[in-house]
Amino acid sequence: MSTSLSPALAAHLPTGLLVGGHWGAATGGRTFEVCDPATEEVLFDVADASPEDARRALGAAHDAAAAWRAVAPRERGEVLRAAYERIVARADDVAALITAECGKPYSEARAEVLYGADFLRWYAEEAVRFPGLVRTAPAGANRQLVHRRPVGPSLLITPWNFPIAMATRKIGPALAAGCTVVVKPAAQTPLTTMLVAEVLRAELEDRGLPAGVVNVVPTSRPADATSPLLTDPRLRKLSFTGSTAVGRTLLAQASGQVLSASMELGGNAPFVVMADADLDAAVEGAMVAKLRNTGQSCVAANRFLVHDSLARPFARRLAERFEALRLGPGAEPGVDLGPLIDAAAVDKVDAFVGDAVARGAQVLTGGERPDGPGSFYRPTVLAGVGPDARVAREEVFGPVAPVIAFTDDDEAIALANDTELGLAAYAYTTSLARAMRLADELEAGMIGINRGMVSDASAPFGGMKQSGLGREGGEAGIEEYLETVYVAL
Ligand code: NAD
């Protein structure tokens, strides 16, 4: 099993724009650099799409739309299934690429490849299953036929933190539904998405299916490239995953032509440890919920709300576990925690820790950057954090665990819900009654009860409040790419 990027993969990796089934240069030959966050070295120069390139990509998606929609659902599913098989067969290579551009440890990257590929497999299966309805109208005078159509050419904008999964979670359902797509990956990690697009391009070509079903426009100027598309009547759908701030901007832009919009935005997940929790299980769950991708996950536990009776032992044991972790480049064997995505991310995490300390929190472990290159930050546990600290109010997106004590269940739920975000929440309790109350009252789209991980291709992923609109994954994910049409017969 190789943990670094193979020369063969590096030599054949597409670095251009994919428009109408062809990889090519950006207008004017402009490129931008993609760096390894562990070493800060440049990995690749990637084509830098201009607004004109983005328009060409939308033109290709528009031109292919009718033909793709006419492809039998079974065959659309088979394309996705074949892409799933091709990606899983190359899981080592894809994982090495994720580690190189995103920084996460190779074992985590490999788990992401399987998780990400699973969206292609799941939607290969869903392509032939979306429901319709025929019934007699209640007045008995006519029949009602309700059926689904693909919404049409879709713009898919993805973040850098899960380079394969964030792309396949959109591409899978879009293609299954019969939509063509323009994908705009994050500038930090475009290469994994481009590799997935190449797998799909090759599969479509081998089957003689329309070029232009999948188009990719990496760019260092996302607003310039995507703004013209959002006012272009050929675009019918926007699906965005990223920060709440950018999501708001895009929603405002999408309102111009009342575009169908799906939003997977930021989180501020509470991790609640009730008085009756199994402490070992809670600490174990906290390791996963906090540290996956070095804390750079939208569903990462952001605030540890722990009953007063357990707050000290929980914080101490978590700190011991954090101290035992090995920090380093993700391609190095035995590394538990990789770097943050860039120096700005380290500055932000450090500022949040400084703010909490200034408000009286104690650093039990971490709280600093290690010496040497790369954007690393030591995993940190903060005790005695007040609910007003920035680290408790905003998404830290790094390996920092603030522990906040509470005294009763009502206070725990009130603290957990005291945020405008509502993506994920976690709760540890051995009482079924408490678990059911938490499942009813926590304001989050996804709730892990005695589990530190909620993601699954077969389950609806998404948030309430300002964490988003719509769901990805599961049966719900394909709905985002379908129009409902009612025919009175
Ligand atoms: P980001 O909002 O900065 O960027 C996300 C994507 O939007 C990138 O492709 C970026 O290039 C693009 N973008 C940025 N500004 C844009 C603009 N004005 N117009 C068009 N496109 C623009 O977020 P990020 O830093 O890449 O990712 C981290 C954020 O994403 C966190 O808030 C995290 O919680 C969130 N996230 C949410 C989910 C989810 O499913 N809810 C999943 C992963 C990440």
Side-chain angles (χ1 to χ4, degrees):
M1 189 156 66
S2 151
T3 59
S4 56
L5 208 52
S6 73
L9 174 65
H12 292 109
L13 209 55
T15 56
L17 315 176
L18 179 60
V19 177
H22 303 285
W23 292 99
T27 310
R30 212 176 137 140
T31 59
F32 66 93
E33 292 175 344
V34 175
C35 297
D36 179 342
T39 60
E40 293 162 10
E41 283 164 12
V42 176
L43 290 169
F44 293 97
D45 288 318
V46 169
D48 194 355
S50 67
E52 188 42 43
D53 294 323
R55 269 195 219 98
R56 279 197 300 120
L58 178 57
H62 179 258
D63 292 348
W68 180 242
R69 178 182 153 176
V71 170
R74 174 68 76 202
E75 187 161 21
R76 296 201 300 260
E78 281 167 358
V79 168
L80 292 172
R81 177 73 199 204
Y84 162 81
E85 306 282 356
R86 287 187 191 216
I87 289 167
V88 169
R90 299 178 66 185
D92 291 349
D93 269 352
V94 186
L97 181 58
I98 293 175
T99 294
E101 63 176 354
C102 185
K104 65 183 71 176
Y106 179 78
S107 57
E108 269 192 48
R110 209 169 184 290
E112 190 199 330
V113 175
L114 301 184
Y115 167 58
D118 224 17
F119 287 101
L120 302 178
R121 177 167 61 171
W122 175 265
Y123 286 107
E125 293 156 356
E126 289 298 292
V128 292
R129 308 238 185 283
F130 46 91
L133 173 80
V134 183
R135 72 173 168 214
T136 303
N142 64 291
R143 299 273 164 83
Q144 297 174 333
L145 167 68
V146 179
H147 72 117
R148 305 294 172 81
R149 279 189 208 157
V151 63
S154 303
L155 172 61
L156 314 180
I157 304 180
T158 57
W160 48 265
N161 59 347
F162 289 86
I164 185 168
M166 296 302 97
T168 52
R169 207 164 76 173
K170 297 185 189 302
I171 296 172
L175 266 53
C179 297
T180 57
V181 300
V182 175
V183 189
K184 208 290 301 156
Q188 296 92 332
T189 61
L191 293 151
T192 309
T193 307
M194 291 155 77
L195 185 58
V196 169
E198 169 54 16
V199 166
L200 284 160
R201 187 206 62 77
E203 187 60 36
L204 290 161
E205 186 180 76
D206 288 355
R207 291 169 178 264
L209 291 170
V213 172
V214 178
N215 305 277
V216 185
V217 286
T219 180
S220 67
R221 300 157 290 165
D224 291 353
T226 60
S227 296
L229 304 192
L230 295 169
T231 53
D232 187 320
R234 293 174 299 178
L235 187 71
R236 305 304 293 273
K237 166 89 201 172
L238 167 65
S239 177
F240 171 75
T241 299
S243 59
T244 296
V246 173
R248 276 192 207 105
T249 305
L250 290 171
L251 266 179
Q253 286 181 279
S255 69
Q257 47 170 356
V258 196
L259 267 185
S260 161
S262 306
M263 295 277 142
E264 295 285 346
L265 307 178
N268 179 3
F271 187 104
V272 185
V273 182
M274 292 301 207
D276 61 8
D278 173 338
L279 195 57
D280 289 341
V283 171
E284 205 55 52
M287 295 297 290
V288 180
K290 179 70 254 183
L291 294 180
R292 197 153 69 112
N293 198 24
T294 317
Q296 304 168 107
S297 156
C298 53
V299 291
N302 205 52
R303 300 167 288 152
F304 290 83
L305 310 176
V306 187
H307 188 266
D308 219 15
S309 61
L310 295 176
R312 273 167 180 272
F314 176 85
R316 184 175 39 77
R317 286 169 65 172
L318 198 61
E320 284 165 11
R321 292 288 299 273
F322 276 22
E323 259 162 39
L325 296 172
R326 190 163 152 225
L327 206 60
E332 255 178 51
V335 160
D336 300 302
L337 218 56
L340 295 177
I341 191 69
D342 54 26
V346 178
D347 289 345
K348 176 185 160 190
V349 168
D350 200 44
F352 275 35
V353 171
D355 169 78
V357 170
R359 293 168 190 266
Q362 304 99 51
V363 178
L364 298 192
T365 185
E368 58 180 10
R369 317 157 197 244
D371 294 334
S375 43
F376 291 93
Y377 199 80
R378 287 202 194 286
T380 301
V381 177
L382 300 172
V385 176
D388 291 334
R390 284 187 75 189
V391 76
R393 302 220 67 82
E394 299 172 45
E395 193 178 29
V396 62
F397 236 53
V400 180
V403 178
I404 299 166
F406 67 83
T407 52
D408 61 40
D409 293 12
D410 290 345
E411 187 190 5
I413 291 171
L415 282 170
N417 291 342
D418 182 21
T419 164
E420 74 268 15
L421 301 174
L423 190 60
Y426 305 88
Y428 277 71
T429 174
T430 50
S431 147
L432 181 60
R434 275 201 167 115
M436 292 311 294
R437 179 174 177 203
L438 289 158
D440 279 348
E441 296 188 21
L442 289 174
E443 294 170 352
M446 295 166 281
I447 301 174
I449 301 284
N450 296 327
R451 277 185 66 81
M453 170 96 106
V454 290
S455 312
D456 194 308
S458 62
F461 191 108
M464 50 175 73
K465 294 156 90 176
Q466 294 187 32
S467 285
L469 297 170
R471 292 293 181 270
E472 291 188 327
E475 290 81 357
I478 201 165
E479 298 285 340
E480 307 286 319
Y481 298 92
L482 294 169
E483 292 278 18
T484 297
V485 178
Y486 152 56
V487 182
L489 279 175

